[in-house]
Amino acid sequence: MSKMRQTLPQAITVPVVRARKAAGERVVMLTAYDYPSARIAEDSGADVLLVGDSLGMVIQGRSDTLGVTLEQMVYHCTMVARAAKRALVVADMPFLTYQAGPRDALINCGRCLKEGGAQAVKIEGGARRAPLVRRLVENDIPVMGHIGLTPQSLHALGGFKVQGRTLEAQEQLLKDALALERAGAFSLVLECVPLEVAREITSAVRIPTIGIGAGPHCDGQVLVFHDLLGLYEGHLARFVRPYGDFGRQMREALSHFGEDVRSGKFPTEEEAFHLQTDAAHAAAKKEVHGTP
Ligand code: KIV
């Protein structure tokens, strides 16, 4: 299947994403977690489907992403990869699946490709991850970097906060971006950094930057599927633009169903199965004459 995908002319591969920058074409990335969300996201024209560890929040109802496991990530990747015919599928490596050592990281990232069907992985962290990124890339595991607000560092950062606001932090982010590029990352997520910082990094690196809360100067943008469609009940960050209110529409549709069941309007006889003609005659006779 993955071989077939690569021969399709319109398939989005890792080199295609990397080349987007030179071509001046923006990258559209959406998160997806299962078959239907991936089908919908791909049909909308998304280039990259990120199986984000945000699934911990929007699918599992947790308050952060830390509890997501490798097994869960592999499972969600299989559903998204089955749905994706054209888009690049990226597995977002969960907390503690790549931090404990390069050997574990290689095996865990490899599982997301081998068993999950993803074509690349995303890992959080800057220059300190560069040796790991190099090792993964040398072993044919394409890596998307992620700097700025890295949600797995929630406790170390003291909360979900905008990063890179001081000159020192800004310089560090630039160093991080360059180190990840040198290590072989094919693209870079910039999360919650001032737009000036994102602009500077975007012009300094040759790989595409994909922003989330990083302003309009990135080479691409990503939003979480549930945030964008109005399906998440939690707090929405100011960088999220809701393009739909589907949570409300779903509630309305479902309560309409409930009303129809209670009032007997659902189902009608047309929505039921009927006996075949002979059996129907026999049943009608039985009704008129009682048991023969
Ligand atoms: O987990 C996720 O969905 C992410 C994106 C928001 C970049 O990491």
Side-chain angles (χ1 to χ4, degrees):
M1 180 62 183
S2 58
K3 265 190 191 155
M4 255 177 68
R5 290 161 55 121
Q6 280 160 17
T7 58
L8 291 172
Q10 75 279 29
I12 307 293
T13 60
V14 164
V16 167
V17 170
R18 199 191 278 118
R20 282 285 177 88
K21 179 139 182 161
E25 289 169 25
R26 292 208 160 150
V27 178
V28 178
M29 181 157 92
L30 283 172
T31 65
Y33 311 100
D34 56 14
Y35 189 89
S37 62
R39 289 291 328 125
I40 291 167
E42 182 174 80
D43 284 349
S44 77
D47 301 308
V48 183
L49 303 180
L50 173 68
V51 188
D53 65 353
S54 49
L55 72 87
M57 298 170 78
V58 298
I59 302 286
Q60 298 175 340
R62 298 175 190 270
S63 57
D64 58 50
T65 61
L66 301 185
V68 177
T69 67
L70 178 64
E71 299 308 320
Q72 291 163 355
M73 182 51 64
V74 170
Y75 172 66
H76 283 274
C77 282
T78 59
M79 294 182 271
V80 172
R82 208 171 288 138
K85 307 212 167 1
R86 164 190 169 273
L88 185 79
V89 177
V90 178
D92 195 9
M93 296 310 295
F95 183 53
L96 285 191
T97 62
Y98 57 92
Q99 290 92 337
R103 188 175 176 278
D104 280 358
L106 184 60
I107 291 169
N108 293 342
C109 293
R111 281 192 62 195
C112 288
L113 271 63
K114 203 176 157 103
E115 295 169 41
Q119 292 140 305
V121 298
K122 176 169 83 57
I123 63 175
E124 296 186 6
R128 66 188 164 137
R129 302 277 179 240
L132 173 60
V133 172
R134 188 175 303 283
R135 170 121 184 217
L136 294 171
V137 172
E138 278 168 4
N139 284 284
D140 300 322
I141 300 180
V143 180
M144 175 180 280
H146 183 163
I147 59 172
L149 170 56
T150 45
Q152 291 172 17
S153 316
L154 166 72
H155 299 305
L157 296 175
F160 294 114
K161 293 178 180 164
V162 177
Q163 301 296 305
R165 279 196 149 138
T166 65
L167 192 58
E168 200 189 350
Q170 177 181 352
E171 282 167 3
Q172 184 57 49
L173 281 173
L174 182 59
K175 282 185 195 154
D176 287 338
L178 291 168
L180 292 171
E181 178 184 30
R182 272 196 305 275
F186 73 94
S187 59
L188 188 56
V189 170
L190 301 179
E191 179 163 355
C192 284
V193 297
L195 67 89
E196 297 83 358
V197 175
R199 183 169 49 200
E200 188 188 11
I201 292 174
T202 300
S203 67
V205 296
R206 282 161 298 150
I207 52 175
T209 58
I210 303 177
I212 172 159
H217 305 295
C218 298
D219 300 304
Q221 296 290 331
V222 55
L223 281 179
V224 167
F225 186 91
H226 292 65
D227 291 349
L228 190 155
L229 294 178
L231 291 169
Y232 183 56
E233 285 187 331
H235 165 75
L236 276 194
R238 73 184 256 186
F239 58 78
V240 175
R241 186 183 300 177
Y243 282 86
D245 191 5
F246 291 96
R248 186 180 53 77
Q249 288 187 32
M250 285 162 85
R251 279 190 188 86
E252 275 171 18
L254 297 178
S255 66
H256 200 169
F257 166 72
E259 281 161 22
D260 284 354
V261 170
R262 286 185 198 102
S263 66
K265 283 190 188 150
F266 177 84
T268 60
E269 291 202 353
E270 285 70 40
E271 288 160 325
F273 298 105
H274 297 266
L275 285 171
Q276 285 175 341
T277 331
D278 288 353
H281 281 149
K285 247 166 108 184
K286 196 168 153 189
E287 212 170 275
V288 176
H289 305 296
T291 313

